[in-house]
Amino acid sequence: MKSNEATPAVVVVDDDQEMLQIYRALLQGHGVGPVLTFDDGETLVLYLRRNEAALVVLDLALPTVTGRDLLPRLVEEFPHLPVLIITGLAEVGQAVSCMRAGACDYLLKPIDNALFLAAIDRALGLSEDENRLRRRRMPFPDIVTEDPQMLRLMKRAQAVSHTGQPVLITGETGVGKELFAEAVHRCSGKKGAMVTVNVAGLDDAVFSDTLFGHRKGAFTSAQENREGLIRKAAGGTLFLDEIGDLREGAQVKLLRLIQEHEYLPLGCDVAAKTDAGIVVATNRDLKQLLEQGKLREDLYYRLSCHRLHIPPLRERQGDIPLLLEHFVTLASRQMGKKRPWYPSELPRLLQRYHFPGNVRELQAMVYDAVALHEKGPLSLAAFRTNMSAPSGKGLTVEGHEIVTVIFNGFPSIKEAQSHLISEALRMSNGNQGEAATLLGISRQALNNRLRRRSA
């Protein structure tokens, strides 16, 4: 079934045709639409794989596949789709189970019309929040974040993209500098292409030839004209990555390009003009390079006009669950695999890791875990294997001193074990499964230790 509706539909699933008619009338009378109805869960899944929906209203008592079995499938395959559960079984345990499985709300039959419509409004409010977030990120479709400093940075990127001045993007390796460069290009409204050049390791001659091109006969092996990448960026954006590694002779030529919007192809006496925007990026400290005499002062100040500094992933750990969800879906789609689910311990485990390789490292971890996955949840061990040892930066005392400070003296094994268990339970908010994962033992082993401790 393929919907021609431009607006995502509210989808109602119930095996009672009379109830489906009642739901449709209630929703349409409330101004909600379009409304689609199904009496079978499998048909619903096929529809959702081909169409976008605003909300699913799901009855638990369905033929073929029950709503109870269908709910976790919907949450897993369509994580941003609100699901409202309706059932005739007044069981508190079942309500709690459905909410834990990912339902946004839970109503009992017989349906109270006012309560039903209020629940619909709440659920559509969740969906509207998602849509509003997507609209806010429209020029940044590949940047997955809800971090306030990242959202402010995206707003700044939009503002500076129209000035015609160079934009400098800084940040550690793997934070997503090229994604921001693409966003600046997109926000600028330029119709031409964004052309990327990694300048690391290019000597002056290769830099000039790569960017500016040459005329036939400019040097011995110049058998024909070469256009140069700056020409290909006409009407668009030239993105120079690893600008901190640019050599001195090339720095002079880049400065002229920025100041005069012109350049000299090799073997040509007449300067060529360009209207390409300039975006540069580096993971190095340009101020430090300036102080070391490795960066021209005039170029430094020209590049520093509009600076976007992308924070490392460890400073925006709230984005890790979003990125995990995004990369699991992306990896599954690209590998042609059914999207696996993962235990609740995994986001917490990742949020406690320092990620020296930032978002790129997280993506590599997820892709590796999905590639190795065969059945069941994603393996926590697959992620632990790819976690490098913490750098230890920020520690102000030696390891043995930390131990004695914590325990007011050197602890016994029993004292250390008790402290670790208590700390793991605190960090996991009392979730014994997550605490056991942090401790590197099974849940049963943790339970045994807790029983012995309380005995």
Side-chain angles (χ1 to χ4, degrees), residues 429-443:
N429 297 319
N431 186 310
Q432 291 186 11
E434 293 183 17
T437 298
L438 289 172
L439 293 165
I441 60 177
S442 68
R443 183 166 183 167

Side-chain angles (χ1 to χ4, degrees), residues 55-160:
L55 166 67
V56 170
V57 180
L58 179 64
D59 190 278
L60 288 185
L62 295 174
T64 312
V65 180
T66 68
R68 191 177 294 102
D69 294 331
L70 195 58
L71 174 61
R73 286 177 57 188
L74 295 179
V75 172
E76 177 184 337
E77 195 165 345
F78 314 103
H80 300 299
L81 177 62
V83 180
L84 170 61
I85 292 296
I86 292 179
T87 183
L89 299 175
E91 297 178 6
V92 174
Q94 183 169 255
V96 172
S97 176
C98 286
M99 296 298 282
R100 284 180 175 172
C104 68
D105 214 335
Y106 185 100
L107 295 176
L108 296 175
K109 292 180 179 179
I111 296 298
D112 178 285
N113 292 353
L115 290 177
F116 174 69
L117 294 176
I120 291 291
D121 287 342
R122 286 195 300 272
L124 290 176
L126 293 177
S127 185
E128 179 57 29
D129 285 344
E130 288 293 329
N131 290 333
R132 186 161 49 248
L133 193 58
R134 287 176 194 159
R135 287 194 296 271
R136 182 168 57 182
R137 295 201 202 112
M138 196 63 72
F140 307 85
D142 299 317
I143 299 176
V144 179
T145 185
E146 288 182 348
D147 181 78
Q149 58 182 333
M150 287 288 284
L151 294 175
R152 287 193 296 271
L153 197 62
M154 289 156 68
K155 186 175 180 180
R156 175 171 170 78
Q158 286 181 292
V160 303

Side-chain angles (χ1 to χ4, degrees), residues 249-263:
Q251 291 180 27
V252 175
K253 295 167 185 175
L254 177 59
L255 181 63
R256 180 181 182 183
L257 180 68
I258 292 173
Q259 290 184 156
E260 309 297 336
H261 299 283
E262 64 180 29
Y263 61 97

Side-chain angles (χ1 to χ4, degrees), residues 168-349:
L168 168 64
I169 302 174
T170 60
E172 296 177 7
T173 298
V175 293
K177 295 187 288 294
E178 186 164 357
L179 293 181
F180 265 86
E182 291 169 354
V184 169
H185 168 65
R186 197 177 295 112
C187 291
S188 71
K190 293 180 178 292
K191 303 301 182 185
M194 185 180 95
V195 177
T196 300
V197 185
N198 188 318
V199 302
L202 299 184
D203 61 30
D204 299 347
V206 176
F207 174 83
S208 298
D209 195 30
T210 301
L211 254 66
F212 307 145
H214 61 250
R215 294 294 174 262
K216 181 179 179 180
F219 46 89
T220 305
S221 59
Q223 302 299 318
E224 56 185 23
N225 291 339
R226 182 182 183 182
E227 192 174 57
L229 294 180
I230 186 66
R231 183 71 179 274
K232 292 183 179 180
T237 301
L238 179 68
F239 173 47
L240 302 177
D241 201 6
E242 304 295 351
I243 197 70
D245 296 324
L246 196 62
R247 302 188 183 183
E248 187 176 355
Q251 291 180 27
V252 175
K253 295 167 185 175
L254 177 59
L255 181 63
R256 180 181 182 183
L257 180 68
I258 292 173
Q259 290 184 156
E260 309 297 336
H261 299 283
E262 64 180 29
Y263 61 97
L264 271 175
L266 294 175
C268 187
D269 296 327
V270 180
K273 288 286 186 179
T274 181
D275 59 354
I278 304 292
V279 178
V280 301
T282 182
N283 60 6
R284 303 185 65 180
D285 186 337
L286 293 189
K287 190 170 184 180
Q288 187 178 70
L289 293 177
L290 176 65
E291 292 169 352
Q292 293 171 351
K294 296 179 180 179
L295 180 67
R296 291 177 60 94
E297 186 175 12
D298 45 8
L299 180 59
Y300 171 77
Y301 288 112
R302 291 295 297 181
L303 293 178
S304 300
C305 181
H306 299 309
R307 182 183 174 191
L308 304 175
H309 180 70
I310 307 173
L313 186 56
R314 62 182 172 275
E315 292 181 9
R316 47 187 180 100
Q317 293 183 340
D319 279 344
I320 289 177
L322 290 174
L323 289 162
L324 172 63
E325 189 74 30
H326 172 71
F327 288 138
V328 169
T329 300
L330 200 62
S332 304
R333 186 183 304 132
Q334 292 179 1
M335 296 178 194
K337 288 188 167 187
K338 181 181 177 183
R339 185 186 181 283
W341 62 279
Y342 48 83
S344 59
E345 295 95 331
L346 180 55
R348 290 180 181 272
L349 174 68

